[in-house]
Amino acid sequence: QVQLVESGGGQVQAGGSLRLSCAASGRTAFTTMGWFRQAPGKEREFVGAINWNGLSTRYAESVKGRFTISRDNANGLVYLQMNNLKSDDTAVYYCAADRRPRGTVVPITADSYNYWGQGTQVTVSS
């Protein structure tokens, strides 16, 4: 089992930055960690993900160059640094974990992830 708790959400003006954190507990070795988001009235969408050792990452086109994922395996933490935020980034952000060994492969579909956090709200005002 893996438990995930997100934090760091809030309200920020367009152009600002936020850093989301995901605290993972339980059996987290070799897990791929992903971030997804869901805006009101929209489907959950992939934001970015990082493989178990941090050497492989993938991002949605909409956030490339603005968002960065990193992880601290020693402390069971995953981060999503979000810069130059836009109103379109407003959503509930979810941390997700995939415990299946994938090496350098980083899945981008929600059904690839076994465990989910409760989400944290990010609101970007223009």
Side-chain angles (χ1 to χ4, degrees), residues 8 12-20 37 47 59-70 79-90 93 122 124:
V12 64
Q13 288 191 329
S17 298
L18 281 175
R19 188 177 79 160
L20 305 184
R37 67 187 182 186
V47 175
Y59 296 93
E61 286 297 324
S62 60
V63 306
K64 274 184 181 178
R66 300 188 298 123
F67 291 11
T68 303
I69 292 177
S70 59
Y79 302 103
L80 180 66
Q81 177 66 44
M82 305 185 295
N83 297 328
N84 191 21
L85 283 160
K86 305 175 181 180
S87 56
D88 287 347
D89 296 319
T90 295
Y93 283 71
V122 172
V124 183

Side-chain angles (χ1 to χ4, degrees), residues 2 5 20 24 30 40 44 47 59 73 84 87 92 94-95 109-110 126:
V2 176
V5 178
L20 305 184
F30 305 110
R44 189 169 298 191
V47 175
Y59 296 93
N73 286 342
N84 191 21
S87 56
V92 176
Y94 298 91
C95 177
T109 57
S126 56

